[in-house]
Amino acid sequence: MHDRSILGAADVSDAELTDMVARLLDEDASSVTLIDSSAAVAPYDLDALTTLGRYRVRGRAVTPSGARPFSFFVKVVQSWSRTPMFEFVPPEFREQALASIPWRIEPLIYQSDLGDRLPEGLKMATAFAVFDIDEASGAIWMRDIDAVSGAWDVERFRRAAYLLGRLAASDAVRHHAGIGRADQHIVREYVYGRVAGQLVPAINSDIWEHPLVATTFGDSLRARLIPHADDVQRIVDELETMPVATFHGDACSRNLLVERDSIDLVLIDFGFWGRGPIGFDLAQLLIGEIQTGERDAAQLPELERACLPAYVEGLRAEGCEVPIEIVERSHALQMLVFAGLSALPLEQLDMAPTPELERVARGRAEGLRFMLDLVDATAKVSAA
């Protein structure tokens, strides 16, 4: 029995599925017969602009060694012009907003040989089928990763930072750094898009008087953040003088899977893949779980002390000798731009106030304070 109807146009034929199962199980396709298959939504608690759906396709097949189970992860990606969020982008910013998040990056990554080029210790899931559904969406069928859940300890953060440093400076990876993105000015794109169109107006509005913001962020953070928002062009100018490196683009713990019975990390979600100022991936690695309320912001100083030197050690392993002070300054500015300017809980202000919302907002406020302190502490590098 087969029921994969939930996939719609992202489904494949039974013959194509049989071929993929044979490759997954390392069997000859002529010796494999499907017994059954079904598709179900893969639960996930965060929305992504270019992700339309996540599914698991599971089933059984007859092989020369007997009946064997199989599992695929199917991801459906789309242009974010099809999302409700796009309606909030001012018309004059829409072309630039679309260019800043090209939906085709991820399918192209999975069609490439990037997996063979990653530094030892990093992997990506094998893709068995990648195809367009229409002119603005596509499907990726990949190996389902048996990932270990649970909170990361500092040592795991340190190892992730080291591997991201190697990724950043790898000559082998650099060959694919421009996949799907014609322009590599990611900081400028983000600042001229979301920052200018949404965040700066919000920061300069009466949002600080909202009870959730007033009780968690306060006047002191307002006084420190507004000058950076109003002078964000200066930050862009400084970042564009920094050494350029390859980045994953969204290197939070959710996108660095820990595979069972392995010390390797499996990279997923390549929608923001590209090149930009060195240290880019450190920001999301450190702040990702703070933004979602999964980790106490009080741990940020300890994580910073562990991850910055580890990232630089990874750079050194690939022959990159950029001084740690430059990496830290670049990292501090990018963390402020990509996480600090969006720290205010804009998406939660129309919700009924709850202790949980206040807890998350307080964490974001503490994270913002940490970022502003780091920017201030590294200012001497730009002045030198």
Side-chain angles (χ1 to χ4, degrees):
M1 178 180 177
H2 302 282
D3 183 4
R4 305 189 301 275
S5 58
I6 194 173
L7 296 175
D11 198 8
V12 297
S13 68
D14 287 350
E16 291 170 313
L17 180 58
T18 299
D19 180 69
M20 289 193 290
V21 169
R23 285 185 282 148
L24 175 69
L25 301 180
D26 197 22
E27 300 279 6
D28 188 283
S30 63
S31 66
V32 173
T33 302
L34 295 182
I35 299 173
D36 53 38
S37 65
S38 62
V41 172
Y44 199 76
D45 59 351
L46 289 179
D47 293 330
L49 290 178
T50 58
T51 301
L52 180 59
R54 303 175 180 88
Y55 308 90
R56 280 192 170 86
V57 174
R58 290 174 169 149
R60 296 172 298 156
V62 175
T63 73
S65 56
R68 297 175 63 184
F70 63 83
S71 182
F72 294 96
F73 188 88
V74 181
K75 184 173 184 178
V76 181
V77 294
Q78 66 174 356
S79 168
W80 79 286
S81 63
R82 294 184 170 180
T83 69
M85 287 292 295
F86 195 71
E87 296 301 316
F88 294 96
V89 179
E92 64 271 23
F93 291 112
R94 288 185 177 180
E95 183 177 353
Q96 193 167 32
L98 280 177
S100 68
I101 312 177
W103 72 271
R104 288 190 180 275
I105 287 182
E106 194 154 25
L108 290 171
I109 287 288
Y110 279 103
Q111 288 175 313
S112 76
D113 67 346
L114 177 63
D116 298 327
R117 296 171 174 269
L118 293 172
E120 183 178 358
L122 288 176
K123 293 180 180 178
M124 56 185 290
T126 302
F128 292 88
V130 182
F131 55 89
D132 286 352
I133 293 174
D134 56 30
E135 72 282 354
S137 66
I140 307 163
W141 285 64
M142 67 189 86
R143 180 171 68 91
D144 193 8
I145 304 299
D146 183 14
V148 178
S149 61
W152 284 22
D153 58 17
V154 173
E155 185 53 40
R156 184 158 285 165
F157 274 97
R158 182 183 288 110
R159 176 165 172 75
Y162 168 77
L163 292 172
L164 291 170
R166 292 200 62 180
L167 177 79
S170 167
D171 286 333
V173 169
R174 185 180 302 132
H175 179 76
H176 286 329
I179 285 180
R181 191 184 289 277
D183 189 347
Q184 293 294 305
H185 300 291
I186 189 168
V187 177
R188 190 188 310 166
E189 289 174 354
Y190 180 70
V191 167
Y192 293 171
R194 188 187 182 202
V195 171
Q198 180 189 27
L199 300 182
V200 171
I203 290 169
N204 281 289
S205 73
D206 60 0
I207 189 175
W208 301 91
E209 298 171 14
H210 187 284
L212 181 63
V213 177
T215 58
T216 55
F217 283 76
D219 291 338
S220 61
L221 281 179
R222 178 181 188 176
R224 296 182 67 187
L225 184 60
I226 286 178
H228 288 294
D230 289 344
D231 197 19
V232 70
Q233 181 59 53
R234 178 193 57 77
I235 299 177
V236 174
D237 292 342
E238 184 177 348
L239 282 171
E240 291 190 340
T241 70
M242 296 294 177
V244 174
T246 305
F247 53 70
H248 172 272
D250 191 11
C252 60
S253 59
R254 286 173 177 255
N255 295 332
L256 299 168
L257 302 184
V258 181
E259 193 166 17
R260 196 175 304 277
D261 300 324
S262 173
I263 64 170
D264 294 342
L265 295 179
V266 183
L267 296 173
I268 62 169
D269 287 0
F270 292 89
F272 294 96
W273 172 266
R275 278 176 69 78
I278 200 164
F280 186 97
D281 279 333
L282 279 174
Q284 199 61 15
L285 180 65
L286 288 169
I287 206 70
E289 293 181 356
I290 309 299
Q291 293 173 314
T292 57
E294 297 170 283
R295 185 171 293 269
D296 191 337
Q299 297 179 40
L300 274 171
E302 180 184 16
L303 294 179
E304 174 77 15
R305 289 192 297 271
C307 290
L308 176 66
Y311 181 91
V312 173
E313 182 185 352
L315 296 177
R316 300 289 184 265
E318 297 290 336
C320 176
E321 297 298 328
V322 174
I324 189 172
E325 295 81 8
I326 297 296
V327 177
E328 184 179 30
R329 176 62 176 176
S330 181
H331 153 55
L333 291 175
Q334 290 177 94
M335 191 155 55
L336 178 62
V337 169
F338 288 95
L341 295 179
S342 58
L344 293 171
L346 304 181
E347 72 281 9
Q348 298 169 341
L349 299 186
D350 60 348
M351 300 180 183
T354 65
E356 175 61 15
L357 284 182
E358 184 172 327
R359 183 188 69 80
V360 173
R362 287 192 184 281
R364 287 190 174 195
E366 188 171 350
L368 175 59
R369 188 173 294 107
F370 170 83
M371 290 180 253
L372 291 168
D373 289 346
L374 192 60
V375 168
D376 290 346
T378 59
K380 60 182 181 298
V381 173
S382 60

